[in-house]
């Protein structure tokens, strides 16, 4: 998968460079998108453990449902914060 | 039930969340204080309104009074420990299953005692705690065995076989059950800490830390008993391998002299927890207080470990210990009330943190 991605970037970069100006291999928006993806990955991993514990607690006591749900989705904040980056990063055309 | 190793590490989060919740639901000081003041009928009624409801209702038509309480306790503990095995996966399952073999030893002991005392089959059967590795069929065949010798023979291929075969001639000679029971205990404890898969991981370290503490306490108890009774028994015969506190030589020396033993324990890492019990041993010369203190200290140490390492096998084993302690406490209260002991006497029998 990583090789494919590199190959893709590698094949895109020369085309972009052909236009005459120098371009980064990964444009700002794409980098921001990657950041969101990685953040989501981390959030998913964190939720794995919390979710298992929450389900255990709910199985013992139904009242824990609300608290369990909140704690389980807490790592989602990571993704939301990462999403901010997409809007903060300037557009490619703005940089050029 | 197998203890086969699986590739996964275990579902600690899930099991520990459930175990902690159950741990919190155990009886607390107030409940015990109430129970101590109740009569046997009231205790049964009180239990119907708690955790033990299902068992009390199921057995209520067949038994009454203290027997009902006792059988309900046995059934409840078996249910809870079966739950642990049902939840646990992977390596965690292996650790828990290993530890719950304790109830195999207990069941065999109960059956042997029943045979020794010529108790009826039903009586013995209700005393079994079906939480260990032996399945119902095997327990059935043990129950129907006609003599202790048959039981020993049936167990030949289990992990208790060798020890029992060695102890049986001694039993025949002396006519007491101590050698057989001791063989069972030793087989269980030694199996606990030997034959582990040898991998080096944090989980394994904690498992070993927890269990070596338990072995230490067991050795300590044996040593104190021997030292107090002054009996001329070779202490190394009762020594269980795997602890960190004593080795076989030390225990032979120390268990000849109570003062030295007290000093040794006080210097050890358990000294702080046991201070009170040790003091009462020195003042009142009473071993009972110390044994209660040993139980309480082990419970406390297990709690410390499970707070320090929340995602490990420790909270699960600590729960097993605490649950056992609760069942022992309720049984002591019920039996104590039946025998007409005073409230203070019963309270001194309880192990409460």
């Amino acid at each position: 998968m990583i090789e494919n991605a590199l190959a893709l970037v590698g094949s895109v970069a020369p085309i972009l460079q052909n236009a005459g100006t120098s371009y980064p291999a990964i444009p700002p928006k794409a980098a921001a998108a990657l950041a969101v993806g990685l953040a989501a990955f981390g959030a998913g991993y964190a939720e794995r453990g919390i979710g298992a514990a929450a389900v255990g607690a709910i199985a013992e006591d139904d009242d824990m449902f609300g608290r369990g749900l909140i704690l389980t989705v807490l790592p989602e904040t990571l993704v939301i914060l990462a999403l901010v980056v997409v809007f903060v990063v300037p557009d490619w055309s703005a940089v050029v | 039930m197998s203890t086969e190793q699986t590739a996964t590490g275990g579902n600690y989060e899930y099991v520990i969340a459930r175990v902690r919740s159950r741990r919190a639901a155990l009886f607390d000081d107030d409940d015990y204080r109430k129970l101590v003041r109740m009569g046997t009928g009231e205790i049964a009624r009180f239990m119907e309104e708690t955790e033990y409801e299902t068992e009390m209702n199921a057995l209520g038509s067949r038994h009454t009074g203290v027997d009902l309480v006792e059988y309900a306790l046995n059934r409840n503990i078996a249910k809870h420990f079966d739950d642990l095995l049902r939840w646990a996966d992977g390596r965690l399952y292996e650790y828990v299953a290993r530890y719950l073999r304790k109830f195999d030893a207990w069941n065999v002991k109960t059956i042997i005692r029943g045979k020794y005392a010529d108790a009826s089959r039903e009586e013995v059967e209700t005393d079994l705690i079906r939480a260990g590795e032996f399945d119902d069929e095997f327990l059935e065949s043990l129950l129907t065995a006609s003599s202790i010798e048959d039981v020993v023979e049936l167990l030949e291929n289990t992990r208790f076989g060798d020890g029992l075969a060695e102890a049986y001639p001694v039993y025949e000679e002396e006519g007491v059950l101590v050698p057989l029971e001791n063989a069972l205990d030793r087989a269980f404890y030694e199996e606990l800490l030997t034959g582990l898969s040898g991998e080096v991981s944090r989980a394994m370290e904690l498992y070993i830390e927890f269990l070596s503490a338990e072995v230490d306490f067991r050795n300590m108890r044996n040593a104190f008993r021997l030292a107090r009774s002054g009996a001329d028994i070779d202490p190394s015969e009762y020594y269980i391998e795997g602890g960190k506190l004593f080795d076989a030589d030390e225990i032979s020396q120390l268990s000849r002299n109570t003062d030295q033993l007290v000093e040794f324990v006080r210097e050890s890492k358990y000294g702080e927890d046991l201070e009170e019990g040790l003091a009462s041993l020195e003042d009142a010369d009473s071993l009972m207080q110390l044994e209660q203190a040993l139980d309480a200290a082990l419970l406390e140490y297990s709690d410390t470990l499970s707070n320090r390492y929340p995602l490990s096998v420790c909270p699960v084993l600590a729960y097993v210990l605490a649950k056992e302690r609760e069942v022992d406490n309720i049984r002591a209260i019920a039996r104590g009330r039946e025998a007409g002991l005073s409230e203070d006497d019963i309270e001194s029998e309880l192990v409460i943190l």
Side-chain angles (χ1 to χ4, degrees):
Chain A
M1 208 180 90
I2 294 172
E3 289 87 25
N4 286 346
L6 286 178
L8 185 73
V9 170
S11 61
V12 169
I15 301 172
L16 292 173
Q17 273 164 359
N18 283 346
T21 35
S22 68
Y23 301 101
I26 307 175
K29 283 288 183 196
L34 270 180
V36 176
L38 286 173
F41 191 78
Y45 185 74
E47 280 167 24
R48 183 200 75 112
I50 304 173
V55 169
I58 295 166
E60 287 298 316
D61 179 6
D62 281 342
D63 295 345
M64 294 296 286
F65 181 77
R67 245 177 290 174
L69 194 70
I70 289 173
L71 290 176
T72 308
V73 297
L74 216 54
E76 282 308 321
T77 51
L78 282 178
V79 186
I80 296 169
L81 289 176
L83 211 57
V84 173
V85 176
V86 177
F87 300 107
V88 170
V89 161
D91 204 4
W92 173 230
S93 53
V95 180
V96 185
Chain B
M1 200 185 291
S2 79
T3 53
E4 208 180 315
Q5 256 204 333
T6 52
T8 57
N11 51 349
Y12 288 98
E13 295 93 348
Y14 178 75
V15 176
I16 283 155
R18 296 201 75 160
V19 158
R20 284 206 179 261
S21 163
R22 295 213 169 169
R23 171 82 221 249
L26 293 181
F27 287 177
D28 58 14
D29 290 7
D30 281 344
D31 290 323
Y32 284 130
R33 224 167 287 138
K34 264 187 257 165
L35 276 170
V36 168
R37 275 156 190 69
M38 290 178 186
T40 50
E42 277 173 285
I43 294 177
R45 218 168 309 131
F46 178 79
M47 281 171 64
E48 265 171 43
E49 282 158 23
T50 59
E51 169 59 42
Y52 299 92
E53 189 187 350
T54 334
E55 287 78 18
M56 294 298 276
N57 289 338
L59 293 162
S61 56
R62 274 183 286 153
H63 306 281
T64 51
V66 185
D67 286 343
L68 172 62
V69 172
E70 173 132 22
Y71 299 148
L73 289 174
N74 284 348
R75 245 195 218 198
N76 185 270
I77 204 173
K79 181 182 86 181
H80 279 289
F81 294 164
D82 271 342
D83 279 348
L84 290 184
L85 292 174
R86 211 157 41 87
W87 301 333
D89 270 341
R91 208 151 290 153
L92 180 60
Y93 178 95
E94 193 196 338
Y95 294 141
V96 177
R98 238 169 207 282
Y99 190 71
L100 291 181
R101 281 181 199 151
K102 181 190 252 186
F103 293 98
D104 287 337
W106 161 268
N107 284 339
V108 173
K109 264 193 227 171
T110 310
I111 291 172
I112 290 181
R113 276 182 205 157
K115 302 259 177 267
Y116 186 74
D118 271 329
S120 77
R121 215 196 101 108
E122 284 73 36
E123 275 179 310
V124 179
E125 200 170 359
T126 35
D127 275 334
L128 297 183
I129 299 175
R130 296 171 189 272
E133 202 174 14
F134 294 160
D135 54 17
D136 286 353
E137 212 176 306
F138 188 67
L139 284 174
E140 194 69 18
S141 67
L142 287 178
L143 278 169
T144 43
S146 58
S147 65
I148 296 181
E149 194 173 1
D150 287 347
V151 174
V152 173
E153 247 166 59
L154 276 168
L155 288 165
E156 206 182 335
N157 292 326
T158 64
R159 56 181 51 79
F160 303 115
D162 293 345
L164 280 178
E166 246 170 66
Y168 189 72
V170 187
Y171 155 74
E172 267 196 327
E173 210 173 282
E174 296 173 9
V176 287
L177 289 178
V178 182
L180 289 179
E181 294 187 351
N182 213 23
L184 286 168
D185 275 343
R186 280 181 63 153
F188 165 70
Y189 278 109
E190 280 170 17
E191 187 87 14
L192 262 182
L193 286 166
T194 51
L196 287 166
S197 59
E199 45 139 359
V200 183
S201 68
R202 196 75 191 110
M204 182 65 83
E205 267 170 43
L206 287 171
Y207 174 79
I208 291 173
E209 167 130 9
F210 191 97
L211 290 175
S212 55
E214 192 173 336
V215 171
D216 279 342
F217 276 85
R218 196 142 279 264
N219 278 332
M220 244 190 268
R221 174 177 317 221
N222 282 341
F224 274 114
R225 282 191 187 157
L226 282 173
R228 282 266 302 150
S229 68
D232 192 22
I233 310 171
D234 182 11
S236 54
E237 255 180 58
Y238 292 88
Y239 174 72
I240 303 165
E241 303 267 345
K244 286 182 182 153
L245 187 59
F246 303 111
D247 60 31
D249 292 337
E250 270 175 331
I251 210 164
S252 308
Q253 273 175 3
L254 288 169
S255 57
R256 299 201 192 294
N257 187 330
T258 318
D259 294 338
Q260 271 178 19
L261 188 58
V262 168
E263 210 42 55
F264 183 82
V265 173
R266 193 167 275 161
E267 306 272 293
S268 73
K269 64 173 171 175
Y270 308 114
E272 216 170 288
D273 295 329
L274 287 170
E275 188 51 57
E276 224 169 278
L278 289 171
S280 85
L281 177 73
E282 279 178 335
D283 298 343
D285 215 24
S286 138
L287 198 55
M288 208 181 77
Q289 292 280 326
L290 180 73
E291 295 205 357
Q292 309 283 352
L294 278 173
D295 279 338
L298 179 60
L299 218 50
E300 213 158 296
Y301 187 64
S302 74
D303 274 347
T304 314
L305 275 184
S306 56
N307 283 337
R308 205 175 292 159
Y309 308 105
L311 282 184
S312 71
V313 72
C314 295
V316 184
L317 298 185
Y319 167 71
V320 172
L321 276 181
K323 181 76 190 171
E324 274 185 286
R325 203 52 57 211
E326 175 183 275
V327 165
D328 283 351
N329 280 344
I330 300 177
R331 185 180 294 139
I333 294 174
R335 291 280 174 215
R337 293 309 293 185
E338 189 193 29
L341 292 181
S342 75
E343 283 164 18
D344 289 342
D345 283 344
I346 297 176
E347 240 164 69
S348 69
E349 285 281 336
L350 302 181
V351 181
I352 306 172
L353 279 188

